[in-house]
Amino acid sequence: MNVLLLGGGGREHAMAWRLSQSPLCQALFVAPGNAGTSEYATNLAVNPNDFPAVRAAVLSHAISLVICGPEEPLVRGIQDFFKADEALQGIRFIGPSAEAAQLEGSKAYAKEFMAAFGIPTAGYRSFTAATLAEGLDYLDSRRPPIVLKADGLAAGKGVVILNDVGEAKTELEAMLSGKFGAASEEVVIEDFLDGIEFSVFVATDGKDFRVLPVAKDYKRIGVGDTGPNTGGMGSVSHPPFVDADMMAKVEQRIIMPTLRGIQERSLDYKGFIFIGLISVEGEPFVIEYNCRMGDPETQSVMARLNSDFLKLCLEMADGEVAAATIDIDPRQAATVVMVSGGYPGPYEKGKHIIGLADVTGSMVFHAGTTLDEVGDIVTNGGRVLAVTSYGDTFQEALSLSYENARKINFSGSNYRGDIGFDL
Ligand code: AMP
Ligand code: GLY
């Protein structure tokens, strides 16, 4: 069958790698893709947020399965667009409806959902400009640190953690008067949870589920998890502190009630649920839901998913997850992300990437790369490459990724040298 994958990051490169290995995959297209995906797929110059352009690509390439990588098209309703279009009937789509994608697209919706279905998460209240005075009073009753979250999608910048009630009040006022545009018209004020985070990925058809390899990502730019947030600087699968006992709690207390909520609310959810969790003294709490896979967790997760990923996607689309089998590689995987100098602030593009051919024993997934006019690979984004390796331990996997990252160079390149430091 012909498959279209939407997106163009390291996550999509890793997915394209696994999809292309499936005997069920005749032709793979990625929109827009990057220099790495072109190795296994045909890149299409289509923006996933341009639904009519996606529709035209689907029809002209006889696509029978579409997999949506990023959240934005989902939150904007691409699944609903497909469902409503006469010409697209029968084309399978992986990704939730806009209503279901509110689990990621609206923090207030997600919190209310968790409260309704008894899913452990930080205590909270949410406020709008009309209830600002109550919000300020509420802050007086809190003990710092205080977590403020813009309700809507804010490109990973909408969460602010403050150590002072006065600063939190100033931030609440700024957010409610448009600091993040429409995304902060509503603000969730949350209790701070102190613990260690991890990422659980659930493949579902809306009824049944399978749990993919567990991962941990490293979001901050600086060593020791300091400095501003990024899209993600590295990942490890499997983080050793997430033991069988913890996963049993996650399934019972979090995944199963989430699926129950999806069913009770008749949410149309055939896709991935990425649950951002925090372990507080051995008890799991939800930090956030995402309606897609994580990046750079997917690079480590796909490395360990030995069973046919395309087959799993078809089982999700066709409501047959109950029959799905998943084979997870017992080896550990680790990913180191190489970024442009200056990222997550302003950075330059178009830097020549050298040394890729010298890499041995690791996989290099591309994110912000493109081919220049003479066909050389150049940088084209903040996060540029993800170097993923296997090992008997995650430390072994990491040292191989670092060994290969040292062979790759582009002007200004930067990566964190301490991925896995807290494990
Ligand atoms: P989110 O966008 O909700 O994942 O939040 C971004 C980051 O902020 C998370 O990865 C956590 O590191 C941190 N964070 C969010 N909510 C909380 C919380 N309630 N307690 C502690 N840290 C939090
Ligand atoms: N790595 C976190 C994310 O994809 O949102």
Side-chain angles (χ1 to χ4, degrees):
M1 71 168 54
N2 294 355
V3 178
L4 172 63
L5 174 63
L6 301 178
R11 167 182 53 208
E12 285 77 21
H13 188 179
M15 288 178 157
W17 165 62
R18 281 307 196 193
L19 290 169
S20 71
Q21 292 174 339
S22 169
L24 302 167
C25 188
Q26 263 147 18
L28 178 62
F29 298 85
V30 188
N34 58 42
T37 59
S38 60
E39 199 183 319
Y40 321 104
T42 305
N43 287 344
L44 303 175
V46 169
N47 176 346
N49 291 316
D50 182 349
F51 301 167
V54 174
R55 175 185 194 275
V58 163
L59 295 175
S60 70
H61 296 289
I63 300 293
S64 41
L65 171 71
V66 179
I67 302 166
C68 187
E71 66 278 11
E72 199 181 330
L74 296 166
V75 172
R76 289 174 177 228
I78 190 169
Q79 189 268 4
D80 311 75
F81 175 90
F82 266 67
K83 215 172 157 180
D85 192 311
E86 209 51 56
L88 300 175
Q89 296 310 303
I91 294 168
R92 298 166 169 112
F93 190 93
I94 294 296
S97 67
E99 187 188 4
Q102 289 302 294
L103 285 172
E104 173 166 2
S106 166
K107 305 254 185 218
Y109 179 90
K111 295 299 282 189
E112 182 278 322
F113 179 94
M114 287 185 260
F117 297 99
I119 296 165
T121 187
Y124 81 106
R125 282 191 51 193
S126 74
F127 301 93
T128 62
T131 54
L132 171 65
E134 286 164 51
L136 296 173
D137 284 347
Y138 182 68
L139 284 174
D140 273 325
S141 72
R142 301 287 92 196
R143 212 157 29 96
I146 297 169
V147 184
L148 300 186
K149 296 186 174 184
D151 175 58
L153 293 184
K157 299 195 173 73
V159 176
V160 185
I161 299 176
L162 295 157
N163 280 314
D164 177 272
V165 171
E167 282 173 26
K169 286 183 174 176
T170 309
E171 183 65 31
L172 179 66
E173 286 183 298
M175 280 188 169
L176 290 177
S177 44
K179 180 172 176 184
F180 298 106
S184 64
E185 277 171 10
E186 185 166 0
V187 173
V188 170
I189 302 179
E190 230 177 70
D191 296 340
F192 181 83
L193 296 175
D194 196 5
I196 181 161
E197 288 177 61
F198 60 107
S199 305
V200 167
F201 300 96
V202 175
T204 186
D205 53 13
K207 309 187 301 271
D208 297 291
F209 68 90
R210 290 289 178 270
V211 182
L212 301 180
V214 177
K216 170 157 180 55
D217 79 335
Y218 291 82
K219 289 194 181 72
R220 306 289 193 99
I221 189 72
V223 165
D225 276 339
T226 54
N229 257 330
T230 69
M233 297 296 291
S235 66
V236 168
S237 175
H238 181 110
F241 71 92
V242 185
D243 57 13
D245 179 43
M246 172 61 85
M247 282 313 291
K249 291 177 185 172
V250 170
E251 284 205 18
Q252 287 294 326
R253 300 179 193 171
I254 294 165
I255 301 177
M256 286 159 70
T258 299
L259 263 297
R260 188 163 63 78
I262 285 172
Q263 283 161 23
E264 280 189 20
R265 295 203 169 171
S266 304
L267 299 178
D268 191 351
Y269 208 123
K270 294 178 168 61
F272 301 100
I273 313 173
F274 159 6
I275 312 178
L277 294 158
I278 189 162
S279 165
V280 182
E281 288 163 7
E283 306 303 325
F285 291 82
V286 177
I287 290 278
E288 63 167 350
Y289 286 113
N290 296 292
C291 60
R292 53 168 173 95
M293 293 292 290
D295 189 339
E297 289 99 325
T298 300
Q299 290 85 321
S300 295
V301 169
M302 284 294 134
R304 298 186 64 221
L305 186 70
N306 284 338
S307 42
D308 186 330
F309 181 52
L310 175 50
K311 183 162 176 281
L312 175 65
C313 290
L314 293 174
E315 286 159 339
M316 289 156 72
D318 293 341
E320 293 169 357
V321 167
T325 51
I326 283 194
D327 175 24
I328 296 178
D329 198 308
R331 289 174 296 174
Q332 305 294 292
T335 298
V336 172
V337 175
M338 303 183 72
V339 302
S340 295
Y343 174 81
Y347 55 84
E348 291 175 10
K349 295 183 184 177
K351 309 292 181 195
H352 277 86
I353 302 172
I354 54 168
L356 288 170
D358 302 327
V359 169
T360 46
S362 295
M363 294 171 285
V364 180
F365 296 115
H366 292 222
T369 69
T370 191
L371 299 176
D372 68 6
E373 57 290 346
V374 295
D376 288 342
I377 299 177
V378 297
T379 67
N380 193 41
R383 290 192 293 170
V384 177
L385 299 166
V387 185
T388 301
S389 317
Y390 295 104
D392 288 334
T393 61
F394 78 84
Q395 291 93 337
E396 225 178 87
L398 271 170
S399 55
L400 189 51
S401 285
Y402 281 124
E403 195 180 308
N404 281 306
R406 282 192 289 272
K407 297 179 188 166
I408 303 170
N409 225 317
F410 49 90
S411 171
S413 98
N414 180 31
Y415 55 85
R416 255 179 77 169
D418 69 333
I419 299 305
F421 78 98
D422 52 352
L423 295 179

